[in-house]
């Protein structure tokens, strides 16, 4: 005997009488690309009596595509055959669509991450070690590859002290705490390449969620050229002042 709940009828759009009159109806509702997988799992459950828990697509009445989760438990008879089969069908369309949007968002982020000319890296709690670095990051710090880069702690890519005299390791944690509290934090920082060369940068730390994980994204820009230009301007102004002072002394 086939028993179909009102919830299954609501989900599929077909009544219990329609399923009773056509025992093959439900199988035809399964998306063509999922049918082989679905029936393989059904046959496996019947022969092994192991519970089935699968997710697949169906076409409801009217052609609406839905994602469902089906859980089945077998009750064996005295001869080891199947006495009854109990199944629960759940509409998981909203969850699957949300997961798909999240996946697409992650793919877009990855494409931007990989193609960006800015050095972009991510850090994860609780140790705040690097979890990724884009090609621009690898080039900036002179690492052989991403694996070598993420093996380094953020403060290992800095001199022992920052220009204000603070220890880099301690100040880095302060910058991270500020970014986590405020959502983002922009500041200047002296970095050090793997070959020991120090260079000035701006760092933008931004709190972000990727999947179900909270991360910090760091965008680092080398400002050596602008610092050199500023210094050249100061030197020029100093020379001009010296010339004016010399003229006043004549």
């Amino acid at each position: 005997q086939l028993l179909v709940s009102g919830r299954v009828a609501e989900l599929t759009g077909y009544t219990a009488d329609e399923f009773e009159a056509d025992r093959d109806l439900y199988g035809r509702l399964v998306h063509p690309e999922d049918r082989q997988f679905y029936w393989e799992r059904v046959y496996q459950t019947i022969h092994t009596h192991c519970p089935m828990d699968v997710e697949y697509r169906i076409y409801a009445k009217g052609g609406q595509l839905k994602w469902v989760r089906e859980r089945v438990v077998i009750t064996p008879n005295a001869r080891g055959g199947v006495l009854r089969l109990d199944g629960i069908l759940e509409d998981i369309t909203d969850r699957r669509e949300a997961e798909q949007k999240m996946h697409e968002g992650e793919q877009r982020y990855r494409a931007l991450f990989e193609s960006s000319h800015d050095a972009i890296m991510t850090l994860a709690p609780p140790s705040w070690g690097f979890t990724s670095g884009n090609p621009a990051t690898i080039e900036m710090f002179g690492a052989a590859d991403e694996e070598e880069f993420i093996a380094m702690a953020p403060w290992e890519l800095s001199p022992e002290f920052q220009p204000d005299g603070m220890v880099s390791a301690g100040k880095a944690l302060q910058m991270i705490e500020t970014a986590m509290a405020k959502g983002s934090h922009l500041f200047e920082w002296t970095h050090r390449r793997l070959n020991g060369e120090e260079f000035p940068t701006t760092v933008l730390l931004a709190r972000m969620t990727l999947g179900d994980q909270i991360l910090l994204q760091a965008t680092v820009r080398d400002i050596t050229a602008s610092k050199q230009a500023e210094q050249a301007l100061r030197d020029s102004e100093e020379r001009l002042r010296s010339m004016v002072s010399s003229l006043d002394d004549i």
Side-chain angles (χ1 to χ4, degrees), residues 12-49:
T12 63
Y14 292 91
T15 66
D17 289 340
E18 287 176 294
F19 281 115
E20 180 64 37
D22 184 355
R23 294 298 183 96
D24 296 327
L25 173 58
Y26 187 78
R28 295 198 302 274
L29 301 186
V30 178
H31 192 288
E33 294 178 3
D34 297 344
R35 282 177 189 167
Q36 181 176 350
F37 158 76
Y38 173 73
W39 285 116
E40 285 176 353
R41 293 302 304 274
V42 169
Y43 293 144
Q44 181 183 29
T45 297
I46 291 173
H47 287 97
T48 65
H49 295 180

Side-chain angles (χ1 to χ4, degrees), residues 103-119:
H103 177 66
E104 291 171 354
E106 290 175 354
Q107 286 184 317
R108 286 194 295 272
Y109 171 80
R110 173 55 63 175
L112 291 171
F113 178 85
E114 293 292 341
S115 62
S116 175
H117 294 297
D118 288 330

Side-chain angles (χ1 to χ4, degrees), residues 112-187:
L112 291 171
F113 178 85
E114 293 292 341
S115 62
S116 175
H117 294 297
D118 288 330
I120 301 175
M121 58 220 74
T122 54
L123 306 89
S127 65
W128 295 113
F130 293 117
T131 58
S132 68
N134 71 344
T137 297
I138 308 310
E139 181 180 356
M140 173 180 282
F141 288 98
D145 50 33
E146 187 180 35
E147 183 178 357
E148 181 181 20
F149 172 75
I150 64 177
M152 309 290 290
W155 36 89
E156 290 181 298
L157 297 174
S158 307
E160 185 178 359
F161 297 97
Q162 288 299 301
D164 61 3
M166 289 191 65
V167 176
S168 291
K171 188 171 183 178
L173 290 175
Q174 288 184 12
M175 299 300 99
I176 288 170
E177 290 171 359
T178 300
M180 289 298 290
K182 294 183 176 181
S184 65
H185 187 41
L186 176 66
F187 54 95

